[in-house]
Amino acid sequence: MLEFKKMAKPAATTDDLFPLVYAELRRLAAAYLRREQRGLTLQPTALVHEAYLQLSSNGEAIWQDRAHFLATAAVAMRQVLALQARRRKAAKRTPGLAAVPMDGDIRDPVLWDYDELDQALDRLQNEAPELCRVVEIRYFGGMSVEEAAAHLNVSPRTVKRHWMLARAWLNRELGPGHPA
Amino acid sequence: MSPRWQAIERLFHAALERPVSQRESFVRTEAEDQQLAAEVLALLDAAPSEDAPLTQPLDLHGLMEALGSAFLSGKQLGHYRVGDLLGEGGMGLVYRAIDQRDGSTVAIKILPPGQAMHPNRLERFRREARAMAALRHPAVICIHEAGSEDGVHYLVMEYLEGETLRQRVQRAGPLSAEETIECGLAISSALEMAHLAGITHRDLKPENVMLTPAGPKVLDFGLAHLDERDSPQRTTLDGVLAGTVAYLAPEQIEGSPGTPQSDIFALGVLLYEAVTGQTLFQRANPIATARAILHESPDYRSVPLTMRPLLRRCLAKSARRRYQSAGLLRADLEKIKSGTRLVEHRALPWMAAGVVAALAVLAVVWLVHSRFPRRPDPRAIANFRLGEYHWNRRTPESMRKSVDYFRQASTMDPSFAPAFGWLAESLAMLPEYGVQDRRNTEAARQAAERAIQLDPKLYIAHVALAWIFFSYDWNWAAAEPEFRKAVALAPNEALPHQRYGLGLISRGRFKEAEAELVRAQQLEPFAMLPMINLAELWFYASRFDLEEAQLRKVLDRDPGYVLARAMLAKVDIITGRSKEAIAEVRRLLAMPETAMWCTELTEAYARDGQRDLALKQMAVCSLSRPPLPTTFIYLGQPRRAIATLEEWYSNRVPYVAYLNVDPDYLPLRGDPDFKKLLKEVGF
């Protein structure tokens, strides 16, 4: 029976995983919100890791390994955060179009403009795709250097070098004050 | 990485290993050109410290919003594949989407998660959507369904091409008097029907009127007050969206709920703005706008003379002095259209105006009754519309609902022929949707006969009767004349052609069937069903090349159409491309709600010679769907195939009508039991 199940379900592609990752991120975010902790700082990578734990504990893992999941989730996270930033900006430009929480600035401080980061990463993707990928899986997927190295099939040293250079490049692109 | 980036990286890291003071001279000597040196130096300036935080804290509220609504493009929501974002409004994001059951384009509005979290509001949203679904009017956007999936709540609507009245006026200036009157006629007629059904719009404004090739359409009917009642931002005036205040009636500003008369006021403002191209009450802030609505009288100098009395009555500060119904407003618009001059009612005290209005209502009612002696009961019409709506959705559940509504309509008005005709049609369709009960078919027969008695020219009654003869009685001799009668009565309706085409397939008259199905497709070019029927035709005609071509056409239009993909897999099975079939069906089964195609996987394994796997697969499938006779044929068990067919025969499963042409039964052709069965079915 087990073998049968595997046969009927081919290894999931990134596309197949998207809805799953979204649903889980959503559930987790709602759970954190329910805890009503003011001043709670939760990081994207922490959320992605928790999503992985949740999704792999129900026994029906359909991605190949943890890195495969984190890489997928990283892309999802990047898009979600960029979109959120864009919508926030749009809402500020045209007041009343989308609800902006009254005490929004107190509850969710925007320290980082994920929209600008997203656009910068698009440019980096054109210039040096390897650097962009490292940022994506480290920054949004929270992979360790070793995990990233295994996933990208390069040495940890290369990952470290890419990572350092990419962060310098992003700092330069996005101006001072962004702790990339 | 490009050679240039390799050089940048090499130099960058080499410089980082040196003391800060030596870095610049190092880079300048090592770099091949000035540009490279400048680039690396800039990057060194921006180099992060090792302990800089990896990521920023999350904005969970924003994250929820983003995850909950905007990431739906390309996703599946109920039966809908969500496409690109069309726009964003106060009530939610609107996406283009494809209904995967028939390939039609729809618009989906997603409720913001924040709104959906209030259970009361959600329940009201659903109730309102159901009421709206019953509101069928050419000038009202058609609401197909309200649904929810994974906590995402959505409203499925007709997809409209065009621009809003606001956009039109901004783009091309004011409408002509004639255009304004046409627009007013459409909207007032929509309001008339909605008000009769107890629904007020409450948020009529130029943004909520779409000008489409098929005429003006009113959007967001009855939804507006959802926010009004529940959202704290909307209970005070300064919280209301600036654009909305300008169309509120004075009594609404004073805190009364919206009434039909306040809709008429809003329509007055809208028509004034359409014909003058100027805003009427819009001021710098909501408070000033509200004050203008309460106290300022409009300047009518730029309004065409003929329209002034009408707009004055719409825009009266006192609700009692306005038109007392949208129907009366519509009647006056028609008068203007035909060139009659309207009399000003300004001088009339409100009581007299009310009496006049009441008399006018009586006059209209009387007129209607005298002109249509058999005007159906309005409640019967309402139920009839609901029946039509559910029939159109074509799911087992909706078919049953349509039966209920048509039945109620026919009980409420026993002389309302269409109610009986459509009751017959939906009852006759039940077996197609897996509801097997002889009593339904007998009831369908009676309803069809009653409908024909009331109105012999009612095509749908003949369609239903033909279908009963064809798929239930298996009596082709009786069915064909009825099919022909239906086609002759309604040559421009797709349904009779489509049904007759299916009947012709069963008789092996493929050329004629093709002509009928092509005609059906021409009449309903956007419906997927006639396209699929054509593919089915080629399957039964054993022209798998043509079937494949037809299915590719379907998939060109909607690459995600599961039925078409499953049928393609079936082509692969029957033509021996079992490996491809296995791969494709497995892909299908990985998608949601595709369990029914697992029988195809069984057949594909069997065809591929993997008998053990096929048997296992059949065991798995039988949990969700009993094995098909064809499955037994593929497994080399003809006796069990025939036994299943005999069971189908005694249960009067409609499919049996196609037994003679189904290429899957070729291996049974010589079997005496199969021959006997064919004979009993009338071949």
Side-chain angles (χ1 to χ4, degrees):
Chain A
M1 262 322 264
L2 201 72
E3 182 188 278
F4 210 73
K5 209 167 185 175
K6 241 191 288 176
M7 298 220 33
K9 256 193 186 164
T13 64
T14 301
D15 265 2
D16 297 336
L17 282 179
F18 262 53
L20 215 67
V21 175
Y22 286 140
E24 186 57 23
L25 290 180
R26 212 179 127 65
R27 200 189 62 74
L28 286 172
Y32 275 107
L33 277 178
R34 268 198 300 277
R35 288 176 211 164
E36 292 281 348
Q37 290 180 26
R38 265 178 189 267
L40 164 98
T41 56
L42 180 70
Q43 292 186 334
T45 50
L47 204 62
V48 168
H49 281 249
E50 194 164 338
Y52 171 74
L53 287 178
Q54 290 299 330
L55 287 174
S56 54
S57 63
N58 67 16
E60 233 200 315
I62 48 171
W63 40 89
Q64 296 139 15
D65 53 26
R66 184 180 136 92
H68 177 207
F69 174 85
L70 293 184
T72 303
V75 178
M77 204 61 180
R78 175 182 160 186
Q79 291 187 14
V80 171
L81 292 175
L83 182 97
Q84 177 196 330
R86 275 196 282 280
R87 293 187 65 195
R88 181 185 286 278
K89 278 198 236 171
K92 275 188 185 150
R93 270 199 303 275
T94 40
L97 199 62
V100 180
M102 305 283 247
D103 53 345
D105 288 339
I106 304 161
R107 197 165 49 204
D108 6 277
V110 189
L111 302 174
W112 181 267
D113 188 334
Y114 285 110
D115 179 27
E116 281 177 24
L117 177 63
D118 188 56
Q119 292 174 26
L121 283 175
D122 278 346
R123 292 195 293 276
L124 187 58
Q125 170 73 28
N126 280 333
E127 297 225 6
E130 296 87 347
L131 299 191
C132 175
R133 194 72 192 126
V134 167
V135 174
E136 223 166 41
I137 60 180
R138 293 268 291 135
Y139 194 99
F140 294 104
M143 272 196 217
S144 69
V145 169
E146 286 69 30
E147 273 176 319
H151 180 66
L152 297 173
N153 208 13
V154 295
S155 70
R157 181 173 171 270
T158 304
V159 170
K160 275 190 207 158
R161 285 167 66 90
H162 284 357
W163 176 232
M164 190 69 179
L165 179 61
R167 284 161 84 199
W169 188 87
L170 285 172
N171 270 347
R172 201 199 55 188
E173 282 291 298
L174 298 171
H178 285 293
Chain B
M1 208 151 42
S2 67
R4 179 154 183 92
W5 270 93
Q6 284 174 12
I8 293 175
E9 192 174 66
R10 205 167 42 236
L11 213 53
F12 174 81
H13 284 289
L16 271 185
E17 282 164 21
R18 274 152 227 278
V20 180
S21 56
Q22 295 169 22
R23 282 181 192 171
E24 183 166 352
S25 57
F26 171 77
V27 172
R28 292 217 185 275
T29 10
E30 293 290 316
E32 284 143 36
D33 55 78
Q34 282 302 307
Q35 220 188 333
L36 182 66
E39 172 88 26
V40 172
L41 285 171
L43 287 170
L44 283 168
D45 264 354
S49 58
E50 286 289 347
D51 56 354
L54 202 58
T55 54
Q56 293 298 307
L58 273 180
D59 157 18
L60 285 174
H61 288 273
L63 184 73
M64 287 289 286
E65 286 262 323
L67 286 168
S69 51
F71 259 87
L72 293 154
S73 284
K75 301 288 170 294
Q76 190 79 20
L77 207 54
H79 300 285
Y80 307 93
R81 175 178 293 271
V82 182
D84 46 338
L85 191 63
L86 293 172
E88 183 171 8
M91 282 294 289
L93 300 165
V94 184
Y95 292 82
R96 193 198 311 268
I98 300 280
D99 184 338
Q100 304 227 299
R101 290 162 299 183
D102 61 4
S104 58
T105 303
V106 295
I108 285 197
K109 183 178 271 191
I110 316 278
L111 263 201
Q115 302 232 2
M117 274 178 210
H118 298 274
N120 288 341
R121 192 174 311 169
L122 191 60
E123 180 45 36
R124 192 167 295 151
F125 171 75
R126 290 195 183 128
R127 214 166 42 219
E128 207 67 48
R130 277 196 292 274
M132 290 266 304
L135 237 183
R136 291 239 159 183
H137 188 278
V140 178
I141 185 171
C142 176
I143 305 287
H144 298 317
E145 130 176 60
S148 64
E149 194 172 278
D150 295 337
V152 177
H153 300 275
Y154 58 89
L155 196 59
V156 185
M157 298 169 293
E158 169 186 14
Y159 174 74
L160 298 176
E161 306 245 20
E163 56 186 349
T164 66
L165 178 58
R166 166 87 68 218
Q167 289 165 335
R168 161 68 175 74
V169 172
Q170 276 172 356
R171 179 179 59 80
L175 306 186
S176 69
E178 291 71 35
E179 288 171 319
T180 308
I181 286 162
E182 284 304 330
C183 195
L185 276 171
I187 300 172
S188 56
S189 143
L191 287 179
E192 186 181 4
M193 179 182 160
H195 292 165
L196 281 174
I199 301 173
T200 44
H201 191 294
R202 296 166 206 241
D203 196 21
L204 196 60
K205 52 186 175 183
E207 289 84 351
N208 276 339
V209 174
M210 278 285 275
L211 302 178
T212 76
K217 299 251 186 187
V218 184
L219 318 181
D220 282 355
F221 234 105
L223 288 177
H225 67 292
L226 293 174
D227 337 34
E228 261 170 43
R229 283 186 204 157
D230 298 320
S231 161
Q233 285 149 308
R234 286 236 173 182
T235 49
T236 57
L237 202 53
D238 53 355
V240 184
L241 300 180
T244 312
V245 183
Y247 303 87
L248 289 181
E251 66 273 16
Q252 282 174 296
I253 288 176
E254 284 164 348
S256 310
T259 63
Q261 277 68 43
S262 39
D263 278 352
I264 287 170
F265 184 88
L267 179 52
V269 182
L270 183 146
L271 293 177
Y272 178 98
E273 296 188 349
V275 81
T276 62
Q278 299 155 4
T279 54
L280 179 52
F281 295 119
Q282 184 75 60
R283 299 292 181 271
N285 61 64
I287 303 288
T289 303
R291 200 176 294 132
I293 292 170
L294 287 173
H295 305 297
E296 289 176 28
S297 29
D299 177 354
Y300 290 101
R301 278 172 302 181
S302 41
V303 175
L305 266 176
T306 51
M307 287 188 70
R308 286 183 196 174
L310 179 128
L311 286 185
R312 273 190 227 277
R313 278 194 77 186
C314 289
L315 294 168
K317 302 288 183 209
S318 157
R320 294 176 185 136
R321 291 184 161 222
R322 286 178 218 141
Y323 286 101
Q324 290 305 295
S325 79
L328 293 172
L329 167 58
R330 183 183 47 74
D332 266 3
L333 281 162
E334 267 158 14
K335 276 190 210 154
I336 300 177
K337 192 183 171 186
S338 63
T340 314
R341 221 177 139 252
L342 294 187
V343 186
E344 297 252 5
H345 289 262
R346 249 190 315 176
L348 282 179
W350 67 266
M351 188 76 104
V355 171
V356 169
L359 283 174
V361 170
L362 282 176
V364 168
V365 169
W366 179 80
L367 238 165
V368 164
H369 275 285
S370 60
R371 213 187 303 157
F372 304 105
R374 281 197 293 123
R375 186 174 185 270
D377 182 328
R379 289 171 310 151
I381 297 179
N383 277 284
F384 179 75
R385 296 275 178 239
L386 278 170
E388 278 185 322
Y389 163 68
H390 285 289
W391 178 86
N392 254 316
R393 295 174 59 202
R394 290 186 163 91
T395 66
E397 201 202 345
S398 76
M399 272 296 160
R400 257 178 284 200
K401 278 192 189 154
S402 79
V403 166
D404 290 343
Y405 284 116
F406 287 136
R407 189 171 272 148
Q408 278 182 39
S410 65
T411 320
M412 283 169 177
D413 188 342
S415 57
F416 186 22
F420 287 94
W422 283 90
L423 174 61
E425 151 64 19
S426 55
L427 279 167
M429 275 299 112
L430 283 178
E432 303 283 326
Y433 291 88
V435 183
Q436 305 285 351
D437 189 335
R438 277 158 208 245
R439 283 169 302 182
N440 287 333
T441 315
E442 289 319 315
R445 215 189 295 269
Q446 280 173 21
E449 278 159 8
R450 171 81 183 131
I452 292 172
Q453 216 175 22
L454 288 167
D455 180 359
K457 289 193 154 75
L458 192 71
Y459 83 91
I460 193 66
H462 295 281
V463 168
L465 210 51
W467 197 255
I468 297 165
F469 290 152
F470 161 62
S471 77
Y472 185 81
D473 296 348
W474 299 321
N475 180 352
W476 180 251
E480 190 166 17
E482 286 299 326
F483 277 129
R484 285 175 171 278
K485 212 175 281 173
V487 168
L489 283 170
N492 292 323
E493 289 286 343
L495 196 65
H497 292 284
Q498 185 215 354
R499 294 279 164 81
Y500 187 30
L502 291 174
L504 287 166
I505 290 177
S506 78
R507 308 311 293 182
R509 288 157 62 181
F510 300 124
K511 270 259 161 290
E512 294 162 84
E514 187 189 0
E516 293 300 330
L517 292 174
V518 166
R519 184 81 195 115
Q521 202 199 328
Q522 286 165 345
L523 289 169
E524 267 185 47
F526 300 109
M528 225 56 154
L529 217 50
M531 290 185 78
I532 287 288
N533 290 152
L534 269 169
E536 285 176 315
L537 159 73
W538 298 128
F539 175 78
Y540 288 118
S542 296
R543 290 297 308 271
F544 306 117
D545 51 338
L546 293 176
E547 185 191 1
E548 191 174 337
Q550 176 68 16
L551 290 170
R552 298 253 176 246
K553 262 192 234 169
V554 175
L555 287 172
D556 271 351
R557 190 184 285 181
D558 178 7
Y561 198 41
V562 174
L563 176 61
R565 287 179 59 182
M567 286 173 72
L568 262 183
K570 180 79 192 186
V571 172
D572 283 340
I573 294 171
I574 207 159
T575 55
R577 289 177 296 199
S578 46
K579 293 271 187 276
E580 289 89 332
I582 292 170
E584 174 67 0
V585 180
R586 274 197 203 153
R587 276 194 292 272
L588 286 181
L589 291 175
M591 291 162 64
E593 287 177 48
T594 51
M596 63 179 299
W597 305 113
C598 72
T599 50
E600 268 68 12
L601 191 55
T602 311
E603 293 181 7
Y605 280 136
R607 188 89 167 121
D608 199 43
Q610 305 190 55
R611 199 183 150 76
D612 283 355
L613 264 183
L615 286 171
K616 264 190 201 168
Q617 181 64 28
M618 187 163 79
V620 173
C621 285
S622 60
L623 296 175
S624 55
R625 189 184 176 193
L628 303 177
T630 53
T631 310
F632 291 122
I633 295 176
Y634 282 100
L635 284 167
Q637 302 176 343
R639 300 265 49 94
R640 290 184 73 182
I642 288 175
T644 310
L645 282 175
E646 278 165 356
E647 201 181 304
W648 281 14
Y649 171 78
S650 54
N651 287 334
R652 302 234 144 219
V653 175
Y655 158 79
V656 173
Y658 300 93
L659 212 49
N660 198 35
V661 285
D662 191 329
D664 269 338
Y665 294 104
L666 226 52
L668 295 187
R669 277 302 152 103
D671 189 290
D673 287 336
F674 186 73
K675 279 185 186 161
K676 204 173 116 213
L677 197 60
L678 280 182
K679 208 167 163 204
E680 279 171 47
V681 187
F683 291 105

